[in-house]
Amino acid sequence: MSQESKRETEQETERAQGKRQLLSVVVSVYNEEQALDDFYRETGAVLKELSWDYELIFVNDGSADQSLSILDRLAADDPQVKVISFSRNFGHEAAMIAGLDYSRGDGVVCMDADLQHPPECLRDITKALSEGYQVINMVRTKNQDAGLIKNLTSAGFYWLINAISDVHFEPNASDFFAVDRQVAQVLKESYRERVRFLRGYVQNVGFKKTSLFYEARPRVAGQSKYSLKKLLAFSINTILCFSNMPLKLGIYAGMFSALLGVAVMVYTLFTRAGAPSGYATIVVLICFMFAMLFVIVGIIGEYIAILFTELKDRPVYIVAETRNVKKEQ
Ligand code: UDP
Ligand code: MG
């Protein structure tokens, strides 16, 4: 038995006796070749100081660059680095879910690979976990990378989703959060929807909760992997997943047009508008009604699309290969 695996077995025995605790850090990686080495160095330094044992679970979300070979190298040098590599790009959410699935820790932290989530926060996170908090929301106070437009649209999105859904979303909550073993288990077992928003579930599972604040740093290297199109699709999906309000639009729109119809009827009766002079009214009404109808049909279509995706029950992610991951996990 090598020195390292001996040490690992010793730590495992101590953990079984409740003397030590394990922190699983889940990192989603998509084309992050420029950021990975810095991330590993900085985060590793912080993790080594902690009184907790740790495992760094990198989930390679189908990167097309050298990310996987960098992760291979890190995993070969450090047994605490685990790698799960997807067969293609499945998205950030799927990567976080895979990380949760493979994690074994008493606490699980999800963070980005671009160092926008400062590794120093891990100290406060383990402190809060040790104090018995089960869900730790990391709230962003400032995002140095985001421009005015991104900040405004993000604020608008949270306002809308909070107004129309019955669950509450913390504005500025990010994909940086920590949960304990029990909550991780709940997330793993009960939230396996195909169209999903992990951040939303984390905030709404209940349990003993706290928020910690952090200042998002600029991306260490590379570019944001979220295009405006991806963000828009993501926002629409979230609204549809967490709210039935859009479906009710049909009822409201129907009531509105009924009122409008009564008004037009009263107007016609009083002015005794003859057949030729009603042309404009008819055109306007037809255009308006059809526009409304198509919007509502479109909304229903979106919900059916989600039902269809759920029904097909395709896997959330497909793992192609792993490193340093034991079989039974
Ligand atoms: N990411 C991923 N799959 C994707 C897109 C992004 O795993 O399809 C990862 C990415 O590598 C990063 C994190 O998700 O670690 C957040 O992405 P990014 O920094 O591009 O988003 P932003 O911080 O700009 O919102
Ligand atoms: Mg980022």
Side-chain angles (χ1 to χ4, degrees), residues 9-23 50-54 106 130:
T9 326
E10 268 170 28
Q11 285 183 345
E12 260 165 42
T13 331
E14 282 188 33
R15 279 202 299 270
Q17 295 163 344
K19 284 192 206 149
R20 296 179 75 93
Q21 290 193 293
L22 177 71
L23 183 71
L50 298 177
S51 56
W52 288 49
D53 294 333
Y54 67 89
D106 304 289
S130 305

Side-chain angles (χ1 to χ4, degrees), residues 194 305-315:
R194 297 295 169 276
I306 292 184
L307 283 180
F308 190 46
T309 318
E310 298 293 340
L311 210 64
K312 281 189 287 191
D313 205 25
R314 301 233 166 107

Side-chain angles (χ1 to χ4, degrees), residues 25-29 35-37 39-41 43-44 55-61 67-68 70-72 74-75 78 80-86 95 98-99 111-113 321-323 325:
V25 180
V26 172
V27 189
S28 21
V29 179
L36 279 176
D37 278 313
F39 176 87
Y40 175 72
R41 189 165 6 87
T43 312
E55 56 176 0
L56 254 173
I57 306 176
F58 288 99
V59 184
N60 174 37
D61 184 13
S67 298
L68 187 58
I70 297 173
L71 292 177
D72 270 344
L74 296 179
D78 182 350
Q80 277 151 306
V81 170
K82 323 231 145 130
V83 180
I84 296 148
S85 188
F86 287 174
M111 59 199 294
D112 289 358
E321 45 190 326
T322 60
R323 310 269 184 279
V325 173

